Amino acid sequence: MASPVTKKSTHIITPPKGLGVMGYVCLIAFAVIVLALLQQQYWHGENGRANLNNLNAQIAKQTDFNTEQAYTNNLLRADVRDLKTQSSAIEEHARLDLGLIKPGETFYQMSNAPITYSRQMATSNEADAVEPVEGLIKESGEPSR
């Protein structure tokens, strides 16, 4: 049996002969618009460059905070270790935190209050600054007891 002969299609799609100048201008304009939209998404999109910069700043801030906390934790661990092993550390904490004073010691307390002296008060008439309080001074001028 003879195989049937198949005809090959010689119908080939040919591209248009030319886009012309307006076609190229439209193609370039379309490419520029697509590029601009991609750039906008890169710089200002939800997961864009600006968001990445914010996240990097937050990471740096959190890293600094974690470093400070690790330092504080190490100090507290050393303090706990000293309290477990040395009785002098217990006495030190009692003195600083609880105000321990041993018998025979004299305690001096220094005030950290700010000085609020005013020149205006010193130069004003003292009679204006002192007012009598009712009930403390009798009408005869003698203080009541």
Side-chain angles (χ1 to χ4, degrees):
M1 282 208 216
S3 65
V5 178
T6 58
K7 289 185 178 180
K8 290 189 178 182
S9 174
T10 58
H11 189 285
I12 299 175
I13 300 174
T14 59
K17 291 185 179 181
L19 291 175
V21 175
M22 274 312 275
Y24 284 116
V25 169
C26 288
L27 188 61
I28 290 173
F30 178 73
V32 167
I33 290 171
V34 168
L35 183 64
L37 290 174
L38 289 174
Q39 285 293 313
Q40 191 275 338
Q41 183 67 22
Y42 173 76
W43 290 104
H44 306 290
E46 182 179 346
N47 295 320
R49 184 72 176 169
N51 192 22
L52 176 67
N53 290 340
N54 289 338
L55 289 175
N56 285 336
Q58 288 177 359
I59 288 171
K61 186 177 177 181
Q62 186 66 42
T63 302
D64 292 343
F65 179 75
N66 290 349
T67 304
E68 291 174 11
Q69 291 298 309
Y71 178 74
T72 303
N73 289 343
N74 289 336
L75 286 177
L76 290 173
R77 282 189 191 102
D79 201 20
V80 168
R81 188 174 39 254
D82 287 346
L83 287 172
K84 287 182 178 180
T85 59
Q86 299 174 358
S87 62
S88 62
I90 296 172
E91 182 180 339
E92 178 185 349
H93 272 280
R95 286 181 178 275
L96 293 176
D97 299 336
L98 303 175
L100 172 72
I101 302 172
K102 288 183 176 180
E105 290 182 338
T106 304
F107 176 72
Y108 295 99
Q109 184 174 7
M110 304 300 285
S111 174
N112 291 336
I115 298 173
T116 57
Y117 179 76
S118 173
R119 284 187 166 187
Q120 187 179 30
M121 186 79 158
T123 59
S124 68
N125 189 356
E126 289 187 23
D128 294 337
V130 179
E131 297 178 13
V133 178
E134 291 181 28
L136 294 178
I137 299 177
K138 294 182 181 179
E139 289 185 24
S140 65
E142 295 178 19
S144 63
R145 292 187 182 194

